[in-house]
Amino acid sequence: MKMADGATIVRRNRPGTKAKDFCRWPDEPLEEMDSTLAVQQYIQQLIKRDPSNVELILTMPEAQDEGVWKYEHLRQFCMELNGLAVRLQKQCSPSTCTQMTATDQWIFLCAAHKTPKECPAIDYTRHTLDGAACLLNSNKYFPSRVSIKESSVTKLGSVCRRVYRIFSHAYFHHRRIFDEFEAETYLCHRFTHFVTKYNLMSKENLIVPINEEENAAPGESEA
C-alpha cells in the first residue's frame, strides 16, 4: 500500500521492533486489502483499533459473504482464547479443577475422546481449542477463505458451544483471571454478542451474565 505522498507502507513487524510498536501501521479499507486473508486482517484491524467497540467489530461490511464472516470471527475468537488458557494455567490444574464445571450445576464432557468423558478443566480447555483449530483448518470442510459451503457453516455452532465453556469455567471458578482478561480484550462480551447476533447458541446456554449486566432491567435475566 502507498501513502498519498508516494511512500510505501510495509505491513510487517520488522526484526527488532519493540512490542509497543507492533502493528503500528495505518488502517486500510477492506476493499483495498488484496489478499485471501483480507477478512481476517480487517477483523484484527478493528480489534486493534478499539477492542471495546464490539458492535463495530461485528458489523459485517456490505457484500461480504456471511459464512466467511462468521468463520473468520470464530477463528479469531479461538486464537485469542489461547491467551485466556495461558493465564488459567496459573490457577487451573488437574488437581484443583478435576472437572470442567461452571457453577455446581454444569459439568461438561470432553468431546476430544472416542467416547465423550470428563476431563480436568485445563485439559478440556486445551483439547477444545486444539479440536476447534483442527476443524477450522480442515481442508475437507474449509478449503477456502473466500467462499464456504453452507454445510460447513453449520458446524460453527457446535464449536461455539464448546469454546464458550472456557469462558463460563473462568467466570465462575477463576473470576479474577476472567475479569483481568476481559478488561483488556472484551472477548467474552464480543463472543456473546456474536453468537446471539448470528443465532449460533441458545440464550439458555449463555450463562455468563454479559447481556444481563448490559441490557437487562432489574430482576430480568438473559442467561
Side-chain angles (χ1 to χ4, degrees):
M1 179 181 177
K2 289 189 176 182
M3 298 287 285
D5 60 3
T8 300
I9 298 174
V10 178
R11 297 178 178 276
R12 187 179 303 115
N13 295 312
R14 297 184 180 279
T17 302
K18 295 182 179 179
K20 67 180 180 64
D21 295 323
F22 276 13
C23 306
R24 294 288 295 272
W25 44 74
D27 288 350
E28 184 178 12
L30 176 60
E31 58 271 16
E32 295 182 12
M33 294 181 179
D34 185 19
S35 168
T36 56
L37 305 180
V39 177
Q40 178 190 56
Q41 293 168 357
Y42 178 71
I43 292 170
Q44 292 175 346
Q45 177 176 278
L46 294 176
I47 295 169
K48 179 171 69 77
R49 184 192 302 168
D50 182 3
S52 69
N53 196 341
V54 170
E55 193 61 40
L56 176 63
I57 295 169
L58 295 180
T59 299
M60 186 172 65
E62 291 185 16
Q64 174 60 49
D65 180 89
E66 184 175 303
V68 173
W69 184 249
K70 291 190 287 189
Y71 167 79
E72 291 292 353
H73 267 289
L74 188 51
R75 280 179 59 97
Q76 182 65 29
F77 284 122
C78 291
M79 286 190 287
E80 292 185 70
L81 266 169
N82 279 286
L84 178 58
V86 169
R87 298 193 190 195
L88 285 174
Q89 291 179 132
K90 299 175 183 177
Q91 288 184 2
C92 188
S93 69
S95 59
T96 59
C97 299
T98 58
Q99 298 172 311
M100 186 58 165
T101 57
T103 74
D104 295 328
Q105 298 178 336
W106 297 77
I107 300 177
F108 305 113
L109 299 181
C110 181
H113 309 275
K114 188 172 183 179
T115 301
K117 66 178 184 178
E118 292 183 9
C119 258
I122 195 64
D123 291 342
Y124 183 105
T125 298
R126 293 173 183 141
H127 295 164
T128 297
L129 291 176
D130 285 349
C134 287
L135 176 64
L136 296 175
N137 287 292
S138 167
N139 284 328
K140 177 181 178 181
Y141 297 111
F142 303 102
S144 169
R145 301 286 288 270
V146 295
S147 177
I148 297 176
K149 295 184 296 184
E150 185 58 34
S151 60
S152 296
V153 174
T154 59
K155 297 185 176 296
L156 302 182
S158 62
V159 178
C160 289
R161 289 192 297 274
R162 287 172 183 152
V163 300
Y164 181 80
R165 295 165 186 171
I166 301 170
F167 288 120
S168 58
H169 178 76
Y171 179 86
F172 288 105
H173 300 287
H174 306 284
R175 184 62 181 274
R176 182 181 61 81
I177 291 176
F178 175 91
D179 286 345
E180 290 175 355
F181 183 78
E182 190 66 12
E184 295 174 16
T185 66
Y186 296 86
L187 192 62
C188 190
H189 283 73
R190 190 180 354 130
F191 189 89
T192 302
H193 283 281
F194 170 73
V195 296
T196 302
K197 184 182 183 80
Y198 293 107
N199 298 312
L200 293 168
M201 287 181 62
S202 60
K203 287 190 175 182
E204 53 265 29
N205 289 327
L206 298 173
I207 59 177
V208 179
I210 297 298
N211 285 344
E212 179 181 334
E213 293 171 3
E214 293 181 350
N215 301 321
E220 293 182 340
S221 174
E222 296 289 334

